[in-house]
């Protein structure tokens, strides 16, 4: 039988995921949707033959919903993840797991009390074929011992709601997660360096770009440029420098055109196209495992908690003028091993 899914939040990624689950992913059906904008919610419900719920918690507790997907705004995540755990239902929550460390603590406590892992956080880069290949290259020892990582996360432009804090907690969260996963290492300290302000980041008060600097337990030094307004495309880069060589994340394949004495290659305009394969693989894996009664295979609630803790320290660091701060990550309980 198909997995009966309820989706909460029908903005950009919520709609993408509903479409993906309905047209691309096998073994599932979107049976329920919820959205604070009722007109949008009802329209999508009708389009996909799902039931509309004005209240997300009512959707979670509906007997017809077997698994929950949370794609609402960041501050609404924790409430719905907690309600799903209380209902004992598997929940796929888009990143970040929560905006506050205390909410993450409550979630990992509740999941352990439930006694089984039901939460997956939507850090889809772990499923991206390029990042997978990069991780294999590091693990095979091709570049020797990793020492330094240079990365950048450039968004083409930003929504009016973007803030300096979100730049780290919302965009930077992907980097914090994927680099910890890639290097199989934990952060011990971090800081944020603020370069000259971009004139294109029109919004008053948005510090852009920002450079996150992290040091890991093994002593690897990481720098990540986070930009909200590259103006030229959505560009994700990552280079790992080892003592025998370097390994670089590949760009997605794109045709090279040569005309009029120039050479051009398209750059993805947004995360939707850049990571389309990763989202597809991620959601199929979540559906397959959930149907088989297995634990989720992607980022866990614990990983979401580690990202939130790290982002929080980096945020404090930026507010306090940029001096490096210690990152004290708690010991991972056996439950999450
Ligand atoms: P968006 O602003 O386009 O959509 C959010 C939607 O959630 C809006 O339609 C809003 O009305 C709705 N909403 C807010 N509170 C709600 C509630 N309590 N109940 C029901 N609906 C509610 O934002 P977008 O870009 O779709 O992002 C949504 C979430 O997905 C964010 O948490 C974001 O961090 C994450 N995301 C993850 C991506 C990834 O690469 N994994 C990419 C884009 C977003
Ligand atoms: C957005 O919420 C995402 O998760 C995208 O993957 C990221 O690149 C973007 O910066 C975020 O705002």
């Amino acid at each position: 039988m198909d997995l009966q899914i309820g989706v909460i939040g029908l903005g950009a990624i919520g709609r993408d995921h509903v479409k993906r689950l309905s047209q691309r992913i096998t073994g599932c059906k979107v049976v329920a949707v919820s959205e604070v904008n009722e007109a949008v919610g009802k329209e999508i419900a009708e389009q996909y033959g799902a039931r509309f719920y004005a209240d997300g918690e009512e959707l979670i507790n509906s007997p017809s919903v077997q698994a929950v997907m949370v794609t609402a705004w960041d501050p609404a995540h924790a409430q719905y993840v907690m309600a799903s755990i209380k209902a004992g239902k598997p929940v796929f929550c888009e990143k970040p797991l929560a905006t506050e460390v205390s909410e993450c603590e409550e979630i990992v406590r509740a999941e352990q009390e439930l006694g089984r892992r039901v939460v997956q956080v939507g850090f889809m880069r772990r499923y991206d074929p390029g990042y997978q290949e990069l991780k294999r290259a590091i693990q095979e020892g091709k570049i020797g011992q990793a020492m330094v990582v240079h990365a950048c996360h450039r968004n083409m432009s930003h929504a009016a709601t973007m803030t300096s804090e979100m730049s780290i907690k919302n965009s930077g969260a992907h980097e914090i997660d994927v680099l910890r996963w890639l290097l199989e290492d934990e952060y011990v300290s971090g800081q944020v360096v603020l370069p000259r302000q971009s004139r294109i980041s029109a919004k008053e008060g948005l510090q852009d770009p920002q450079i996150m600097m992290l040091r890991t337990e093994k002593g690897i030094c990481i720098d990540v440029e986070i930009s909200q307004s590259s103006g030229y495309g959505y560009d994700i880069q990552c280079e790992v420098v080892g003592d025998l060589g370097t390994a670089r994340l590949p760009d997605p394949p794109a045709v090279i055109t040569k005309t009029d004495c120039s050479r051009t290659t398209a750059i993805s305009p947004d995360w939707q196209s850049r990571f389309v394969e990763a989202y597809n693989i991620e959601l199929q894996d979540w559906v397959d495992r959930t149907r088989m009664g297995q634990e989720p295979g992607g980022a866990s609630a614990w990983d979401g908690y580690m990202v939130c803790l790290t982002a929080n320290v980096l945020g404090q660091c930026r507010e306090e003028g940029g001096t490096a701060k210690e990152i004290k990550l708690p010991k991972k309980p056996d439950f999450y091993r």
Side-chain angles (χ1 to χ4, degrees):
M1 187 193 160
D2 283 349
L3 182 71
Q4 315 279 297
I5 302 175
V7 180
I8 306 174
L10 301 169
I13 204 166
R15 284 186 234 194
D16 263 20
H17 280 352
V18 167
K19 188 174 176 198
R20 184 171 277 118
L21 291 169
S22 306
Q23 298 177 358
R24 169 96 201 192
I25 308 299
T26 56
C28 63
K29 181 166 173 40
V30 176
V31 295
V33 292
S34 182
E35 163 58 53
V36 287
N37 182 333
E38 289 210 16
V40 167
K42 285 179 178 162
E43 190 191 318
I44 305 279
E46 200 184 327
Q47 191 181 341
Y48 290 94
R51 181 168 166 196
F52 173 73
Y53 290 80
D55 180 351
E57 296 213 19
E58 203 185 313
L59 174 151
I60 292 168
N61 292 310
S62 160
S64 65
V65 171
Q66 296 173 322
V68 179
M69 174 167 284
V70 181
T71 45
W73 293 330
D74 297 2
H77 292 186
Q79 173 198 348
Y80 295 131
V81 171
M82 279 302 289
S84 303
I85 295 173
K86 277 190 190 137
K89 294 188 182 178
V91 53
F92 177 97
C93 177
E94 262 311 332
K95 41 61 59 180
L97 174 62
T99 52
E100 304 303 324
V101 168
S102 58
E103 293 171 331
C104 293
E105 285 167 350
E106 206 187 334
I107 289 169
V108 295
R109 207 177 306 123
E111 197 180 34
Q112 289 176 82
E113 276 165 19
L114 180 70
R116 61 179 199 281
R117 284 188 39 217
V118 289
V119 181
Q120 174 159 336
V121 186
F123 285 118
M124 78 299 177
R125 290 187 186 186
R126 293 173 176 228
Y127 291 89
D128 175 68
Y131 273 108
Q132 290 265 349
E133 204 180 322
L134 182 58
K135 183 162 177 158
R136 266 195 304 276
I138 297 168
Q139 285 178 331
E140 285 165 8
K142 284 184 182 161
I143 61 164
Q145 188 170 278
M147 305 179 299
V148 180
V149 177
H150 304 292
C152 84
H153 182 149
R154 300 192 186 125
N155 295 276
M156 170 116 104
S157 57
H158 59 83
T161 47
M162 182 52 69
T163 63
S164 306
E165 187 188 19
M166 281 173 71
S167 212
I168 303 284
K169 285 192 168 179
N170 180 287
S171 301
H174 280 294
E175 306 295 332
I176 297 170
D177 179 70
V178 83
L179 296 176
R180 179 173 166 266
W181 167 84
L182 191 69
L183 302 168
E184 295 186 352
D185 206 351
E186 296 289 2
Y187 304 121
V188 292
S189 67
Q191 83 186 102
V192 174
V193 174
L194 303 180
R196 187 180 193 184
Q197 172 73 25
S198 157
R199 291 174 302 164
I200 300 156
S201 284
K203 191 169 175 256
E204 189 84 22
L206 171 63
Q207 182 63 53
D208 188 48
Q210 299 186 43
I211 300 176
M212 305 191 313
M213 315 271 280
L214 289 157
R215 181 183 280 275
T216 70
E217 270 175 9
K218 291 177 195 153
I220 302 171
C221 286
I222 299 168
D223 60 85
V224 189
E225 174 208 318
I226 310 280
S227 166
Q228 297 299 339
S229 48
S230 77
Y232 69 84
Y234 182 78
D235 196 6
I236 304 297
Q237 301 293 327
C238 179
E239 183 188 33
V240 183
V241 181
D243 53 8
L244 296 178
T246 70
R248 180 181 275 275
L249 180 71
D251 281 326
V255 170
I256 299 166
T257 313
K258 295 178 186 177
T259 53
D260 296 330
C261 299
S262 68
R263 191 166 81 153
T264 50
T265 316
I267 300 173
S268 298
D270 49 38
W271 43 265
Q272 284 98 327
S273 54
R274 169 64 181 83
F275 286 112
V276 63
E277 227 182 323
Y279 296 120
N280 288 340
I281 301 169
E282 172 191 50
L283 292 199
Q284 188 66 65
D285 181 62
W286 179 66
V287 166
D288 290 347
R289 284 171 183 267
T290 307
R291 283 181 79 204
M292 287 190 282
Q294 293 175 357
E295 290 191 337
S300 66
W302 184 262
D303 295 316
Y305 173 31
M306 294 304 99
V307 170
C308 187
L309 267 172
T310 305
N312 220 36
V313 173
L314 292 172
Q316 283 167 10
C317 176
R318 190 199 53 244
E319 280 161 26
E320 290 168 17
T323 324
K325 270 188 177 292
E326 189 182 358
I327 300 173
K328 286 187 202 142
L329 298 182
K331 195 168 164 277
K332 194 192 265 191
D334 286 343
F335 182 80
Y336 287 107
R337 276 184 209 286

